[in-house]
Amino acid sequence: MISSQNLKIHKVENFTLKSGINLSLELSYLTLGELNENKDNVIVYPTRYAGTHLEQGYLIGEQLALNPKEYFIIIPNMFCNGVSSSPSNAPSPLNGPDFPLITIQDNVSFQYQLLKEVFHIEKIKLIVGWSMGGQQAYQWATQYPKMVENIVAMCAHAQTSGHTHVFLEGMYAALTSDLNWNNGKYEDQPNAGKTTMAMTWAGWALGQNWFREKLYLKDGYKTPQEVLDKLWRTIYYKRDANDLLAMIRTWQHHDISDNDVFKGNLEEALSSIEANVVLMPGINDLYFPPEENLQEVKYLKKGSVEIIPSN
Amino acid sequence: MISSQNLKIHKVENFTLKSGINLSLELSYLTLGELNENKDNVIVYPTRYAGTHLEQGYLIGEQLALNPKEYFIIIPNMFCNGVSSSPSNAPSPLNGPDFPLITIQDNVSFQYQLLKEVFHIEKIKLIVGWSMGGQQAYQWATQYPKMVENIVAMCAHAQTSGHTHVFLEGMYAALTSDLNWNNGKYEDQPNAGKTTMAMTWAGWALGQNWFREKLYLKDGYKTPQEVLDKLWRTIYYKRDANDLLAMIRTWQHHDISDNDVFKGNLEEALSSIEANVVLMPGINDLYFPPEENLQEVKYLKKGSVEIIPSN
C-alpha cells in the first residue's frame, strides 16, 4: 500500500524559514484514501527521525488504526529526510552542510500551505506521529489550534529536554568522528561514522527491560552482541550523513513555545491547544520518558496520557 | 588525606588469570588508619571505572562513613586503571592492546593475596565500592564468603546486563572511532576518540531528571550544552585509551556466577553469599537501574536494597 510510486511534490518558491532565510523547498508527500465532500476525514501522519513515508505502513490498513477506506491520509515527508528537500538533494549553494536549519515549526508551516493550497482543507480530524512525527503533531496543535481536532503524539515531547539535547549531541559527535566526514564535504558517505552513531544509539533505542526480559530472543537474536552486529552496525547506511545531522539539529531545536506568540512560555503554549491530545509515552523510553508528558498534560485543556507498556 | 605519596605496591610473579594466562602483576594500593591487634577493623574500598585511589576521598574522613581513626582502610587500584598494572604501564610484549583481559574475579583474587600475604587478614568488616568498585565488593562476597562480613555495593550489579553490554560496546566504538587509535598502537593519545566517547557517555551518566530539575544550575552550568563543553569534552584525556578500553572489557565480562563453582547459575551464586549485603542503586541510574538489584536481593540470605534518591 505504501510505495514511492505515488509520491507527489508540493513546491514553494521563496518559502521563508523561521530563521528568516528564504529558499525554494519541495515537500514529497503521499496520500491514501479519498478526501470526502465535507473534507472532514483528514488525517495527517508525519514521518519520524531517519524515516520516510516507506516506514509509515505499520498503522495503516483496513483493520488498523488508520483506515484509508474511511480517511484521507496525508503522509508528509519531514524536511531533511532525503525525500523532501534535504542537504543530500538540495541544489548548490544550499546543499550538504550548507543546507539551513529547518525547524519543526517550518515543517508544519509548509504542511499547512500544502493542505490549504492543494486540498483546501480547513479541519484536520487527526494528526498522529511517532517521535519527531509526534513533535510535528504537537506543533500543529499549537500553531493552528482552530484547525486541529485531535492529535496523538507517540513518544514525543512538546519541547526537547536538556537530557535529549545532550544525548543528541553525543550522536552528532559519533557520526562526525569519521575523518571522511570532512565537515560535511565528503565524497564518499562517512559510513564508519554512521556505524559509530548506530553503536552508541543502540542502547538508547533498546531499553534495559528489552534485554532484561530477553525480548531479543523473540526477534531472532541469540545475544545482545548479535543485536549490535546484525541489526545496528549498518542501520544508517541507507541515509545521507548530512541529512542525519540536519535532523538532529531539527530535533534539538524543537520547542512549541519558542516563537513570537509564546516567547518561551511552555505552559502558555500548552494551554493554548484546542485539540484533544493523547500522549503515548513508552514506559521504559530512555529519551522520551513519561515524566515530561505527565508534566505537559497538566496544562492541556483536553489531554490524557496513555503509557505504552514495555512488551 | 588521599595522595599518591603513600602508595604501596604488591607484586606477584606468575599470577594466573582466570583465562589461564600467566603474568607478573603489580597492584598499587593505599592504606589509611591502623590495623588493630585483632585484625577485625578492615575495610576494603576498591576503585571505579576510570578512577584511581585519588577519587576515593569522598567517603573517607572522621565525620564520614569511612573513618580512618577507627578502621584500617585498604584502597586497591583496579587493574587497567593506569596505576596498578595496565596496558599503559605493562612491559612489552604485554603492553598496549596486547595486555590480556583481566576480570573482576582476577582483581579480587589478587586483592585476596595482598590481604593474606602482606597483612595476614582473615576477616573483612566491610567491602564498599561504587560502580565497578561495587562489582568487586559483590565478587569478594561470592568468591570468599567466609571472609567477608558486610558489603555495600553502590550502583553495581552482580552480573553485567545485556543492556549495559550494548551501552559499553557503543562507548568502545566511540573511543576507537579515532583514526589515531591505530588498533591500540598509537603514538599520540587518540584524544578525539576520547572526546567522542565522553560526548556519547554524558547522557548516560547524567540522567533525565538531572536536566529536568535543572540540577546543572547548582553545579554552575547555564545550559546542558555548557555541561558538555566545560565538563565532558576532555574528561578522559588524563587516562590512557587502551586502559579505558581494557576496563570496558573487564566491565562487560563481570558475572559473579561465571566460574567453575557456579557455572553460570546466578541465583546459586547469590544464595552462596554469607555477608550482609546492602545494594544502593540510584533511582534514575541509566546503566545500573534498581530493577536488577531488586531481582538479586530475592536470592540473598541477608540482603537489602536502599534506593538512592535523585537529588
Side-chain angles (χ1 to χ4, degrees):
Chain A
M1 178 175 292
I2 301 273
S3 90
S4 299
Q5 226 177 350
N6 302 314
L7 266 187
K8 298 182 193 85
I9 289 174
H10 183 59
K11 182 169 181 170
V12 178
E13 308 274 2
N14 288 315
F15 183 81
T16 305
L17 295 174
K18 186 177 170 186
S19 60
I21 291 172
N22 250 268
L23 77 174
S24 166
L25 286 176
E26 294 187 8
L27 178 73
S28 289
Y29 66 97
L30 205 64
T31 65
L32 298 158
E34 300 291 335
L35 185 58
N36 66 14
E37 223 169 302
N38 293 334
K39 301 193 176 190
D40 62 2
N41 69 335
V42 177
I43 294 178
V44 179
Y45 181 28
T47 59
R48 61 167 171 83
Y49 182 79
T52 70
H53 56 283
L54 293 174
E55 284 82 30
Q56 299 287 75
Y58 69 102
L59 284 186
I60 299 171
E62 287 185 38
Q63 309 300 322
L64 297 173
L66 309 186
N67 180 359
K69 292 269 179 198
E70 196 171 344
Y71 296 104
F72 180 58
I73 303 162
I74 304 173
I75 303 176
N77 278 288
M78 188 169 64
F79 290 118
C80 306
N81 79 341
V83 183
S84 288
S85 291
S86 302
S88 64
N89 62 25
S92 177
L94 292 184
N95 58 330
D98 300 319
F99 196 74
L101 168 71
I102 301 205
T103 63
I104 294 290
Q105 184 179 320
D106 294 323
N107 272 282
V108 168
S109 299
F110 202 100
Q111 291 167 22
Y112 174 82
Q113 292 201 15
L114 165 69
L115 266 64
K116 283 287 209 185
E117 290 168 18
V118 177
F119 299 106
H120 312 288
I121 289 166
E122 299 289 336
K123 284 277 180 197
I124 302 169
K125 179 68 86 188
L126 171 68
I127 307 179
V128 55
W130 183 64
S131 188
M132 290 185 84
Q135 292 172 6
Q136 292 169 72
Y138 234 139
Q139 181 71 39
W140 256 107
T142 331
Q143 210 164 325
Y144 305 105
K146 292 190 197 315
M147 194 163 167
V148 182
E149 292 177 23
N150 300 281
I151 71 164
V152 176
M154 301 178 286
C155 305
H157 293 154
Q159 180 186 59
T160 291
S161 67
H163 180 262
T164 302
H165 175 92
V166 164
F167 147 66
L168 289 170
E169 202 64 22
M171 298 305 110
Y172 200 101
L175 204 167
T176 59
S177 68
D178 189 330
L179 275 195
N180 290 329
W181 175 56
N182 192 27
N183 289 311
K185 303 278 189 192
Y186 42 80
E187 293 191 7
D188 298 314
Q189 285 289 324
N191 280 338
K194 290 184 203 167
T195 294
T196 307
M197 184 166 97
M199 297 289 277
T200 51
W201 198 307
W204 289 108
L206 308 163
Q208 295 100 347
N209 69 296
W210 194 76
F211 292 98
R212 190 182 308 121
E213 296 159 26
K214 299 201 170 158
L215 300 180
Y216 53 83
L217 294 175
K218 281 192 195 171
D219 290 343
Y221 303 100
K222 289 194 197 83
T223 62
Q225 185 63 41
E226 208 177 82
V227 176
L228 286 173
D229 294 340
K230 295 194 175 166
L231 180 61
W232 276 87
R233 273 186 195 283
T234 61
I235 207 164
Y236 295 117
Y237 280 20
K238 60 188 166 185
R239 308 290 178 216
D240 173 77
N242 284 319
D243 290 353
L244 290 167
L245 294 170
M247 283 183 282
I248 285 179
R249 292 296 184 231
T250 303
W251 188 343
Q252 285 180 319
H253 279 82
H254 169 58
D255 180 355
I256 60 166
S257 72
D258 180 24
N259 49 53
D260 291 343
V261 182
F262 302 110
K263 298 182 172 61
N265 188 328
L266 183 62
E267 296 172 14
E268 208 180 294
L270 289 164
S271 305
S272 76
I273 294 175
E274 299 290 337
N276 291 301
V277 178
V278 179
L279 303 173
M280 299 185 70
I283 190 163
N284 295 305
D285 197 311
L286 288 173
Y287 38 88
F288 298 116
E291 284 83 351
E292 267 82 6
N293 286 159
L294 292 167
Q295 281 297 320
E296 291 163 2
V297 77
K298 294 178 190 169
Y299 302 99
L300 294 170
K301 285 193 190 89
K302 294 174 281 182
S304 65
V305 178
E306 303 284 344
I307 297 178
I308 306 170
S310 76
N311 49 3
Chain B
M1 180 175 290
I2 301 275
S3 90
S4 299
Q5 224 177 351
N6 302 314
L7 267 187
K8 298 183 195 85
I9 289 174
H10 184 59
K11 181 169 183 172
V12 178
E13 307 274 2
N14 287 313
F15 183 81
T16 305
L17 296 173
K18 186 178 171 185
S19 60
I21 291 171
N22 249 269
L23 76 174
S24 165
L25 286 175
E26 294 187 8
L27 178 74
S28 288
Y29 66 97
L30 206 64
T31 64
L32 299 157
E34 299 292 333
L35 184 60
N36 66 13
E37 220 170 305
N38 293 334
K39 302 192 175 189
D40 61 4
N41 68 334
V42 176
I43 295 178
V44 179
Y45 181 29
T47 60
R48 61 169 171 82
Y49 181 79
T52 70
H53 57 283
L54 293 173
E55 283 82 33
Q56 300 287 76
Y58 69 102
L59 284 186
I60 300 171
E62 285 184 40
Q63 309 299 323
L64 296 174
L66 310 186
N67 180 358
K69 293 267 180 200
E70 196 172 342
Y71 295 104
F72 180 59
I73 304 162
I74 304 172
I75 302 176
N77 278 288
M78 189 169 63
F79 289 118
C80 305
N81 79 340
V83 183
S84 288
S85 291
S86 302
S88 64
N89 61 24
S92 177
L94 292 184
N95 58 330
D98 301 319
F99 197 74
L101 168 71
I102 301 206
T103 63
I104 294 290
Q105 182 178 322
D106 294 323
N107 272 282
V108 168
S109 299
F110 202 99
Q111 291 167 23
Y112 174 82
Q113 291 201 16
L114 165 69
L115 267 64
K116 283 289 208 182
E117 291 168 18
V118 177
F119 300 105
H120 312 290
I121 288 166
E122 299 289 335
K123 285 276 181 198
I124 301 169
K125 179 68 84 187
L126 171 68
I127 307 179
V128 56
W130 183 62
S131 189
M132 290 184 84
Q135 293 171 6
Q136 292 169 70
Y138 233 139
Q139 180 71 39
W140 257 106
T142 331
Q143 209 165 325
Y144 304 104
K146 291 188 196 318
M147 197 163 166
V148 182
E149 292 176 24
N150 300 281
I151 71 165
V152 175
M154 301 177 287
C155 305
H157 293 154
Q159 181 187 58
T160 292
S161 68
H163 180 263
T164 303
H165 175 92
V166 164
F167 147 65
L168 289 170
E169 202 64 22
M171 298 305 110
Y172 200 101
L175 204 168
T176 59
S177 67
D178 189 330
L179 275 194
N180 289 328
W181 176 56
N182 191 26
N183 289 312
K185 302 280 189 192
Y186 43 80
E187 293 190 9
D188 298 314
Q189 285 290 324
N191 279 338
K194 289 184 204 167
T195 294
T196 307
M197 183 167 98
M199 297 288 278
T200 51
W201 199 306
W204 289 109
L206 308 165
Q208 295 100 346
N209 69 295
W210 194 77
F211 291 98
R212 190 181 309 122
E213 296 159 26
K214 299 199 170 160
L215 299 181
Y216 52 84
L217 295 175
K218 280 192 196 171
D219 290 344
Y221 303 99
K222 289 195 198 83
T223 62
Q225 185 63 41
E226 208 178 84
V227 176
L228 286 174
D229 294 340
K230 295 195 175 167
L231 180 62
W232 276 88
R233 274 186 195 282
T234 61
I235 206 164
Y236 295 117
Y237 279 20
K238 60 189 167 185
R239 308 289 178 217
D240 173 78
N242 284 318
D243 290 353
L244 289 167
L245 294 170
M247 283 183 281
I248 285 179
R249 292 294 184 233
T250 303
W251 187 343
Q252 285 180 320
H253 279 82
H254 170 58
D255 180 355
I256 61 167
S257 72
D258 179 24
N259 48 53
D260 291 342
V261 182
F262 302 111
K263 298 181 172 61
N265 188 328
L266 183 63
E267 297 173 13
E268 209 179 293
L270 289 164
S271 306
S272 75
I273 294 175
E274 299 289 336
N276 292 300
V277 177
V278 180
L279 303 173
M280 299 185 71
I283 190 163
N284 295 305
D285 197 309
L286 288 173
Y287 39 87
F288 298 115
E291 284 83 350
E292 267 81 7
N293 285 159
L294 291 167
Q295 280 297 320
E296 291 164 1
V297 76
K298 295 179 188 170
Y299 302 100
L300 294 169
K301 285 193 189 91
K302 293 172 283 181
S304 65
V305 177
E306 303 283 344
I307 297 179
I308 305 170
S310 74
N311 46 6

